[in-house]
Amino acid sequence: MCDQHNAFTMCPLCDKSCDYWNLSSACGTARASHLFDNPATVFFSIFMALWATMFLENWKRLQMRLGYFWDLTGIEEEEERAQEHSRPEYETKVREKMLKESDKSVVRKLEPNMNASDDEDDEDKLTWKDRFPGYLMNFASILFMIALTFSIVFGVIVYRITTAAALSLNKATRSNVRVTVTATAVIINLVVILILDEIYGAVAQWLTKIEVPKTEQTFEERLILKAFLLKFVNAFSPIFYVAFFKGRFVGRPGSYVYVFDGYRMEECAPGGCLMELCTQLSIIMLGKQLIQNNIFEIGVPKLKKLFRKLKDETEPGETDSAHSKHPEQWDLDYSLEPYTGLTPEYMEMIIQFGFVTLFVASFPLAPLFALLNNVIEVRLDAKKFVTELRRPDAVRTKDIGIWFDILSGIGKFSVIINAFVIAITSDFIPRLVYQYSYSHNGTLHGFVNHTLSFFNVSQLKEGTQPESSQFGQEVQFCRFKDYREPPWAPNPYEFSKQYWFILSARLAFVIIFQNLVMFLSVLVDWMIPDIPTDISEQIKKEKSLLVDFFLKEEHGKLKLTDEPARRSRGPEHAGRSRTASTTPSGRSRPGSVWSSGSQHTSV
């Protein structure tokens, strides 16, 4: 592509104002794209998929280790009791339903005992008919918000198309059209993502309250699922567009696809869409982490604290001047921002985990930037929890709950996404097919010419030809990136055999890559035990000591019971009793519950 002597005359990138151009002018973009679009990307994607599996397995081992050393025995019973305890909103809803369905006499009988959690008959009072309006509202609202996100993405696409067409009319801005449009569109996407994230968090809370979940754990799980779904679609929808849809529905010269009258669908850069995907992903990831995860986390609590302080100063009150000059510690703590839970903190890490794993094939530096962000955020979170927020209420739990299932789902989904990114977005498969099927010497010499099709410029539609062409030579045929038959073929501009061959190779690569990585992930999962070896050995030792302790207790009780009988019977009966009670091997007598090995194991 960078060879000046082997230049390819390319078709115009827009109607009327755009001229023919040489492919060698896109040399810089092609070199930058090759940094990420090379065979090493495949192995790095496999490595990251296995890393995600090892991360989850080591997380399970860490939970087991912490649970053992922190002695979380009985935590299951506590969680079961929490599940039985209904939320006040649920109890209120049950009472309202009972008051509507009962007559006045029944209401008077129920008035002394209004606690729905104490009545066994009131546990399942809210049936699916009672919850159906809430479920319907949730379903419709979530669909509306997802459609709103897609509409905004489409609006940004229209902005890119119209801005590119407008900048192409001016000679001064024509050379930097692609860079300007890409940068401004990504910034718009970032601002929209930050705004919608805050809105979707509040909407998810409101929708969960409409459902009236019975327990706090059910409420939290449903809230997390709704918030994750909305924020995931919001953060990744523009990235999915660039990765899998941009440049796929452009058409061809003479038969382009238009969004509006005169506005063609945008194409990928000559080096492919992978470089633009890398730019989009890097700006959204870094901007989201820097602005939302760092600046907002420290700035918003400080602003709220300052607002409350100004509000307290403006409100008239009977406050002691000495007390206001030297406030007590509890007054200072009360002025801090209320603690709202760990859900926002987990959500940040989950979205970051998605950025690191889903599109790592297009942005290999994502893990490095995530590490740097987390090093900074650890200190910022420490400052926020110590100086900006009230002290949280500690609650014991055995694991991170539904968050682990979400992490596991993202890890499996990332394998599929990276397989499609390598197969469809990058040129890895076309290069591989050309090298082993069409190349004469087994090299990539002639690959660029193989990917470009011919078009007869005389067949351009009226009014779409370049108005004032400054191209240095007369053009009869121009080239465009696609696998189509040439104008002199029996079926001109139809998809060629190479197109279908490469398409089948892409799909075959997706299937092979997905199954291979899934198999390796399962193998890693099987090789790494969930319980660490030292913890497993310690648990076995404790069980053995516990069994020995109970055996000694049982033998002691047997001796205490047999001693009065031996004294009353005399020396002869005492020897017989001792023989009947124990065996030479030290085991207890047949009548004891400790006589069999299976009973020892059950204890």
Side-chain angles (χ1 to χ4, degrees), residues 283-296:
I283 293 178
I284 291 179
M285 178 182 176
L286 297 179
K288 191 172 173 21
Q289 290 182 346
L290 179 64
I291 299 174
Q292 189 177 45
N293 298 1
N294 296 332
I295 297 177
F296 281 6

Side-chain angles (χ1 to χ4, degrees), residues 14 115 367 371:
C14 63
N115 191 357
L371 175 63

Side-chain angles (χ1 to χ4, degrees), residues 49-151:
L50 298 179
W51 172 85
T53 304
M54 294 182 64
F55 171 78
L56 295 177
E57 289 301 314
N58 283 282
W59 184 268
K60 288 192 289 187
R61 290 165 60 87
L62 176 64
Q63 289 180 156
M64 177 61 66
R65 188 179 295 276
L66 295 179
Y68 176 78
F69 285 109
W70 289 347
D71 191 20
L72 295 182
T73 54
I75 192 66
E76 290 83 2
E77 290 79 2
E78 293 183 12
E79 292 183 350
E80 288 178 2
R81 287 195 295 270
Q83 279 289 343
E84 294 174 358
H85 183 69
S86 302
R87 299 175 65 242
E89 293 83 358
Y90 178 84
E91 296 177 0
T92 304
K93 197 75 174 178
V94 171
R95 294 191 193 106
E96 291 177 356
K97 180 185 177 183
M98 292 170 63
L99 291 173
K100 289 180 181 179
E101 295 179 352
S102 304
D103 52 31
K104 294 182 180 181
S105 61
V106 176
V107 171
R108 283 195 296 269
K109 292 179 182 178
L110 292 175
E111 281 178 356
N113 185 15
M114 293 295 290
N115 191 357
S117 62
D118 296 335
D119 192 353
E120 295 180 356
D121 297 331
D122 296 338
E123 290 182 356
D124 298 323
K125 283 294 182 180
L126 293 184
T127 61
W128 68 272
K129 293 181 180 179
D130 304 318
R131 299 177 182 273
F132 182 74
Y135 290 152
L136 185 62
M137 176 65 72
N138 272 262
F139 183 73
S141 301
I142 291 175
L143 284 183
F144 171 76
M145 286 181 284
I146 293 177
L148 176 64
T149 304
F150 291 160
S151 301

Side-chain angles (χ1 to χ4, degrees), residues 317-346:
E318 298 178 359
T319 58
D320 187 11
S321 59
H323 182 268
S324 61
K325 290 182 181 179
H326 303 285
E328 298 292 341
Q329 184 61 40
W330 52 79
D331 294 320
L332 297 176
D333 292 342
Y334 185 74
S335 64
L336 298 177
E337 181 70 15
Y339 177 74
T340 56
L342 286 174
T343 300
E345 303 294 332
Y346 275 110

Side-chain angles (χ1 to χ4, degrees), residues 33 66 145 217 221 273 281 308 312 326 353 386 560 586:
S33 179
L66 295 179
M145 286 181 284
Q217 183 175 350
E221 289 179 354
C273 280
L281 185 63
R308 285 195 304 270
D312 294 339
H326 303 285
F353 185 78
V386 173
L560 291 175

Side-chain angles (χ1 to χ4, degrees), residues 49-287:
L50 298 179
W51 172 85
T53 304
M54 294 182 64
F55 171 78
L56 295 177
E57 289 301 314
N58 283 282
W59 184 268
K60 288 192 289 187
R61 290 165 60 87
L62 176 64
Q63 289 180 156
M64 177 61 66
R65 188 179 295 276
L66 295 179
Y68 176 78
F69 285 109
W70 289 347
D71 191 20
L72 295 182
T73 54
I75 192 66
E76 290 83 2
E77 290 79 2
E78 293 183 12
E79 292 183 350
E80 288 178 2
R81 287 195 295 270
Q83 279 289 343
E84 294 174 358
H85 183 69
S86 302
R87 299 175 65 242
E89 293 83 358
Y90 178 84
E91 296 177 0
T92 304
K93 197 75 174 178
V94 171
R95 294 191 193 106
E96 291 177 356
K97 180 185 177 183
M98 292 170 63
L99 291 173
K100 289 180 181 179
E101 295 179 352
S102 304
D103 52 31
K104 294 182 180 181
S105 61
V106 176
V107 171
R108 283 195 296 269
K109 292 179 182 178
L110 292 175
E111 281 178 356
N113 185 15
M114 293 295 290
N115 191 357
S117 62
D118 296 335
D119 192 353
E120 295 180 356
D121 297 331
D122 296 338
E123 290 182 356
D124 298 323
K125 283 294 182 180
L126 293 184
T127 61
W128 68 272
K129 293 181 180 179
D130 304 318
R131 299 177 182 273
F132 182 74
Y135 290 152
L136 185 62
M137 176 65 72
N138 272 262
F139 183 73
S141 301
I142 291 175
L143 284 183
F144 171 76
M145 286 181 284
I146 293 177
L148 176 64
T149 304
F150 291 160
S151 301
I152 293 175
V153 173
F154 180 74
V156 175
I157 295 172
V158 174
Y159 161 80
R160 296 163 66 113
I161 295 172
T162 54
T163 306
L167 294 177
S168 299
L169 297 175
N170 192 347
K171 293 183 179 180
T173 59
R174 190 176 298 170
S175 58
N176 298 319
V177 169
R178 195 178 296 276
V179 177
T180 305
V181 171
T182 301
T184 54
V186 172
I187 293 174
I188 293 174
N189 278 325
L190 176 62
V191 173
V192 170
I193 287 172
L194 295 178
I195 295 174
L196 290 183
D197 260 358
E198 303 300 323
I199 297 175
Y200 286 166
V203 171
Q205 184 121 10
W206 174 69
L207 291 176
T208 310
K209 290 180 179 179
I210 290 178
E211 289 185 5
V212 195
K214 184 176 180 180
T215 62
E216 290 294 339
Q217 183 175 350
T218 307
F219 178 86
E220 185 178 3
E221 289 179 354
R222 294 184 181 181
L223 173 62
I224 289 170
L225 280 177
K226 292 182 184 64
F228 169 73
L229 176 63
L230 295 175
K231 292 188 177 184
F232 182 86
V233 173
N234 180 39
F236 288 97
S237 53
I239 301 174
F240 270 90
Y241 163 72
V242 176
F244 303 119
F245 297 100
K246 184 179 179 181
R248 312 294 171 192
F249 310 101
V250 177
R252 60 171 180 83
S255 181
Y256 284 114
V257 177
Y258 292 85
V259 179
F260 301 110
D261 188 20
Y263 293 102
R264 279 164 41 180
M265 285 291 293
E266 56 180 348
E267 304 179 34
C268 291
C273 280
L274 198 67
M275 189 61 197
E276 187 172 346
L277 176 61
C278 174
T279 306
Q280 181 108 358
L281 185 63
S282 60
I283 293 178
I284 291 179
M285 178 182 176
L286 297 179

